[in-house]
Amino acid sequence: MSAELAAYRGELRAWLEAHREELAPRYALPGTLDDHVAQMQRVKAILFDAGWMQRGWPERVGGSGGPPMLRTELGANLAARDFVDSGLFSLIEVLAPTLIDFARPELAAEAVPKLLSGAELWCQGFSEPDSGSDLASLRCRAVPEGGNAATAARWIINGQKVWTSLAQFSQRCVLLTRTGPADSRHRGITAFFVDMDTPGITVRPIEMINGELEFAEVFFEDVAVPAERMLGELNGGWAVAMSILPYERSSCFWQRIAYLYRRLERLVEIAPQDDRAAEVVGNAYVQLHALRARSRATQHRLAATGAIGAETSIDKVLVAAGEQAVFDAVHRLLPGMVEIEDSAAGETWRGEYLYSRAATIYGGTAEVQRNIIARRLLDLGSDE
Amino acid sequence: MITANERAAMTESVGAAIADAVARSANVDATLAELGWRELLADDPDAAVEIVFTALGSANATASALDDVLAATLGFELGADLAILLPNFASWAPPGRIDGSHSHAHGIATCRAATAAEILVACDNESALNTSMVSVAAAEVTVVRGVDPDAGLHFVRCPIETKGGRPLDPAAWQSALALGRRAVAYQIAGACRTVLNLARTHALDRMQFGRPIARFQAVRHKLAEVLVAVESLDAALAAAGDTPSPETAALAKAIAGRTAYTTAKHCQQVLAGIGFTTEHQFHRYLKRILAFEGLFGSADAITHDIGHRLLAERRVPTLIEL
Ligand SMILES: Cc1cc2nc3c(=O)[nH]c(=O)nc-3n(C[C@H](O)[C@H](O)[C@H](O)COP(=O)(O)OP(=O)(O)OC[C@H]3O[C@@H](n4cnc5c(N)ncnc54)[C@H](O)[C@@H]3O)c2cc1C
């Protein structure tokens, strides 16, 4: 496996370097979110045309096969060169595997290539105003048109999602809805793949702490979704939601790690060369190395066994801490850069510093991860 | 090279034998010799170091296996009569220094210094490295009491013969340092795992406010934090084995030090009063961690050194790949 990957990596890096000019962002730093999204879709289209985007994806969804780690390599190498925003790009890993595992085969075959080629963007509609960490309490309702779940041609959705990343840019949404009784928790949730231009959907972008409108509130008012857009079984949505973990916790993280090494490198390019800086930079680097070593082991375990589970909460804790350590180092070693510097460099560092604060929140908070580690990995029993 | 199955079987048998020797207060070096430690080290150094040092750490055993690790990587015949002078506490520079008229060494040695006939000293003579053999009789050897009198450490001071040394390839010294660091890191990893298990057991058994303290989220999160650290150390050690280099070994050693202090701090808090006594085993592990963390450079010193290197090169290498 490692030898095959090394060969692929060499080939990929040579190609990316040869096409550097074509792939590099066209906008001046820091660029707006619109710039970042447009850049990512442009890069995806170029890579799709050259056949790189298809590597590591199954042939039945238009891929060219091979181990999923090929995609991880691609994302990481793009991030390491700042060709794409790693957070935006790696959303592919959050959404496409779910479609492949849970959508009707024709739907997956039609939709996944659009995501890979940069023709579309998708979003993940899980969180709701009253359901963050406690996702199983979600209330956005789906009812079968006509009342019979077995025969209904369409489902009618009413409710609200919140903090849905890229909702206003997206053509489709992987949506979790309540289909069981109000108190049915994870047993009464169903997932749908919803077209965002369906009548009754309203998207209201929300300004984030860094000034970007990267996520949104999404309102559903009598939104009719064809029954064949159901992902997985009726009331089987929890399994769909959980299926996101393996690739989010492996491939996405490896891409994020590549980005963090690059950011630390940018910092050492301009940081003072004194003892204090050595300590701060050294600490962040040691942390990144522990994270990278852990993530590497996780990917190989996933490749070998086809499954990873609660133990990836450890990866999640490490990646969140690593990201914050890198940007804390930036904040500490470049006085004023985050706080008062109004140049392009200041805006870029500031935006990323502020974004890094979310690392312990999204994808399951740091506290929720520790709850999982305590219960599932340390077997400490219930906390009730 | 041993197979994965052999490795698993050995991990078990070596772990059990060392724990048993410690329980009987038997000589752990003798147990290691019976287990064929030196043969295993010659045959498969990576497996030998992982299996034996993890077991030593888990059982809080006192042994001199580190001498063999260094002797083997430096290309010397292994034997119980040959002790190695380790770099001074918190340092990783060769312990011997030859500059004109001043030729001397001072460093740390394991429990082997008490019984060996000769001490092998790596020396820096400004332009090159070499190794010298020093007779123990000619050296000033004192027992380190320190925080952990049972650790078997010794201070050694000795004069060095300016002639007669054997040239030492700097790369060989780097390899010896790297494997020595990994060995100490495995020992710390074994200790940390055991300390976490002690704290976990205590959390489940200890009742307060009518329930096991393991129900309290503050306690759970502390232990979770420890598991994160311990697991990341395992990963760093595996990476140092898969991608061996002075850098990956140094990082594993630094991560071992961080893990050791995270583990000690949180587990001691969970153990609270009982963990503050010598009636509970915790104190032995804490003291051994303190005594060994500085060998071949503490986490702090290594981190600082690496930080300086990154700043000087203005590059941040990823070191390990998928
Ligand atoms: C940048 C960003 C992007 C996001 N993108 C998306 C997206 O695309 N799609 C989507 O569906 N959601 C998205 N989210 C939402 C994210 O998943 C939630 O914010 C997250 O699940 C936490 O929920 P919450 O914010 O409601 O916090 P809450 O659950 O209300 O938690 C508040 C605090 O209480 C703590 N807490 C809660 N429960 C426990 C407990 N049992 N034990 C200990 N502490 C606890 C939490 O750790 C936290 O510190 C995004 C969030 C951010 C910040």
Side-chain angles (χ1 to χ4, degrees), chain B residues 7-321:
Chain B
R7 188 185 271 243
M10 265 184 159
T11 301
E12 244 196 83
S13 60
V14 170
I18 291 178
D20 177 63
V22 171
R24 288 184 291 113
S25 302
N27 182 317
V28 176
D29 278 327
T31 306
L32 283 174
E34 280 162 33
L35 289 167
W37 145 248
R38 293 200 182 93
E39 294 74 16
L40 181 61
L41 180 63
D43 179 33
D44 190 339
D46 280 346
V49 164
E50 171 173 353
I51 293 168
V52 168
F53 282 85
T54 306
L56 292 173
S58 302
N60 210 52
T62 302
S64 66
L66 199 53
D67 296 58
D68 299 318
V69 171
L70 269 79
T73 12
L74 293 174
F76 284 81
E77 186 87 25
L78 301 182
D81 275 347
L82 179 64
I84 307 281
L85 189 58
L86 306 178
N88 213 352
F89 196 76
S91 159
W92 55 90
R97 192 148 273 290
I98 302 179
D99 45 9
S101 52
H102 276 297
S103 298
H104 65 277
H106 76 282
I108 300 275
T110 68
C111 56
R112 195 173 294 181
T115 53
E118 286 186 307
I119 304 186
L120 177 69
V121 184
C123 306
D124 188 344
N125 70 9
E126 286 190 337
S127 55
L129 300 182
N130 69 23
T131 49
S132 288
M133 281 298 182
V134 175
S135 146
V136 169
E140 183 190 321
V141 180
T142 41
V143 171
V144 175
R145 279 194 50 76
V147 69
D148 184 8
D150 299 329
L153 298 181
H154 293 77
F155 291 120
V156 176
R157 282 179 180 281
C158 56
I160 302 285
E161 283 286 351
T162 26
K163 331 188 269 294
R166 185 164 128 182
L168 172 59
D169 177 0
W173 171 249
Q174 287 302 325
S175 301
L177 182 61
L179 198 58
R181 280 176 161 167
R182 283 168 57 198
V184 174
Y186 274 118
Q187 187 170 343
I188 289 176
C192 288
R193 220 16 113 171
T194 304
V195 169
L196 173 57
N197 286 337
L198 291 172
R200 174 184 175 273
T201 305
H202 181 74
L204 289 167
D205 293 347
R206 173 73 174 165
M207 303 286 286
Q208 285 295 288
F209 299 96
R211 68 196 91 166
I213 58 166
R215 296 253 186 98
F216 299 119
Q217 196 170 53
V219 168
R220 299 166 81 85
H221 283 197
K222 282 188 163 56
L223 296 180
E225 201 56 41
V226 174
L227 185 65
V228 169
V230 168
E231 290 280 341
S232 66
L233 172 54
D234 283 356
L237 279 164
D242 291 344
T243 313
S245 73
E247 290 77 21
T248 53
L251 282 158
K253 177 67 172 57
I255 291 164
R258 294 165 75 102
T259 299
Y261 293 121
T262 300
T263 303
K265 176 175 152 171
H266 291 322
C267 292
Q268 185 160 25
Q269 188 62 19
V270 168
L271 291 164
I274 190 69
F276 200 72
T277 70
T278 55
E279 288 166 13
H280 190 280
Q281 295 217 44
F282 173 78
H283 79 107
R284 294 183 199 284
Y285 287 94
L286 173 67
K287 290 168 181 169
R288 188 63 49 92
I289 282 169
L290 287 167
F292 272 64
E293 203 274 308
L295 293 186
F296 304 119
S298 64
D300 269 356
I302 293 173
T303 301
H304 201 261
D305 182 60
I306 292 173
H308 268 298
R309 210 140 14 105
L310 299 177
L311 288 166
E313 289 165 14
R314 303 253 188 239
R315 278 201 58 241
V316 176
T318 46
L319 300 180
I320 52 174
E321 295 299 338

